[in-house]
Amino acid sequence: MKNNPLNLKGRIRDLQHFGEEGGVVPGIDLAVTSTFLDPQDMEKTFLGQKEGCYLYSRHSNPTVNMFSEKMAALENTEAALGVASGMAAISSVIEQIMPDEGGEIISSLTVYGGTYALFKNIYPRQGIKTNFVDITDLAAVEKAITPTTKIIYTETMSNPLLKLSPLVELSKLAKKHNLKLIVDNTFAPCLVTPADLGADVVIHSCTKFISGSSDMIAGAICGTRAFISSLIDVNTGVVMLKGPIMDSRSAHELYMRLDHLPIRVQAHSKSAFTLASNLEKNGIKVIYPGLKSHPQYSDYQKILNSEFGAGGMVAVEMESAEQAMQLAQALQNIKFGLYAVSLGFSRTLMTVPAVTTSSEISESDQKLMNLKKGLLRLSIGYVGQDDVMLERFMTAYNAITQAHQTSMSGWSYDI
Ligand code: PLP
C-alpha cells in the first residue's frame, strides 16, 4: 500500500500526461523499438544497469507505462503493468511467484471458471498443486497450508456467487505463513481497494468494468515496484519472456477510460441496487452485496469505499437452469439485456453460470460452492431507465414463472 492521503478519484486526477505539443491528451507511442544515441546505453539497459531507456515494447513502452501508472493510482499500489488479458495477468503472477517446479496454491473454490480450469488442469502439468477451499472459512484456509504453499488466491467478490473474501484476515494469515495474497479485483474496481487491506498483488481483467464497452481484451497486475519490475526482467520475467504484454493502442484507450471508471461504477451500482432491492421486495430470491439480506452485508460495509455503492453484479435464483435460460431469453426479447458472457458493459449482460461461464467447475465442486443450476448472473448496465428495466424484468419473470406453474410438462409464455 502506498502512503497516499488521496482517495482513488484524487489519485487518478493527479496523474497528468500531456501530448507532445502540450495537448491535454497524451499521444500513443507506437514504436516497438527505440534508437540509442550511445551504444553503451543499450548494453547497460540489457544488463539492468540503466533505467529510463525504452528497449523493446515487450519489455516496456511509454503508453503502456502511462496506463500502468493509472492502474497503480486506482489500486493504490507502487506500480502496475498492463498485460494482454485477465488470464495473462493471473498466469503471469502465479508463474513469477512459483518459478520452480512444484509448490502449492490455496485458492478460493468460488473463482472464475477459467481460473479454476487453469489451476486444476494446466498447473498440475508443471507440478503446481491447488487446494480449493471455502475462502471465508479461515480455519480451513490455515489447515490447507503446507510447507510448499506459496500463494493464497482469491477474488474480492466472487464470480458468480458474489461472496466476499475476508481480505484483512487472509492477509494476516498470508503474512504469518510467509505467503503471497493475490486478489482478483475484476468484479470490484473502485468498490474495494485490496492493497489497502493487505493484498500483495491485485489483478484485473480490464476486459470488464475497466474497459466498460465490451470491446477489448486486456488485463493488469498491480503490486510493489520490485514485483512489477521482476515481471519484465530480461532474464527471468514471465511477461517479458512469455510475451503477454499489453499493446500500446489498447493501453491508450484504457488510459482514457480510467478517468470515468469511478462515475461508471457509481452508475452501475445505482441501477443494480434499484433492481435488486425491488426484486427482493417482490419476493424474488436475489443475491446482491448491497442488500441487508446478503450474508456478508456487514463485512462488506467495513471494507467498501462507500461512495461507490455495491457494484453492478446481481444474481437471481431460479428453480432450474432451463427456467433461468428461459427468463434470460424473455428478458433479451424485451430489450432488458443481452444473453452474453462477460460483465462490466454499459448495457446489461446475462448468463447462467452453472452451464456456461462456470461450467469448467466440476459438478461436485459446484455443489460444494453452492452454485445452483438456476442461478442467473446479471451484470447490470446503466443505459436505460431503472423503472422501465424493473418493469420489464417483472413482466418476463411473471410470464416465465406462471408458465411453469400452469404447465410443468410444456412451456410457453406470451410477451
Ligand atoms: N477474472 C475474472 C473474475 C473474470 O470474470 C475473468 C473473465 O471472465 C477473468 C479473470 C479473465 O479475464 P480475461 O477474459 O480478460 O482473460
Side-chain angles (χ1 to χ4, degrees), residues 84-88 90 111-113 115 153 155 157 159 184-187 203-208 216-219 342-343 357 377:
S85 67
M87 291 313 295
I90 296 165
V111 285
Y112 162 58
T115 308
Y153 184 94
E155 295 175 0
M157 191 186 282
N159 179 4
D184 181 335
N185 204 28
T186 298
F187 272 42
I203 282 169
H204 274 282
S205 162
C206 300
T207 314
K208 314 291 165 23
M216 307 171 68
I217 289 278
S342 203
L343 52 124
T357 45
R377 185 186 81 178

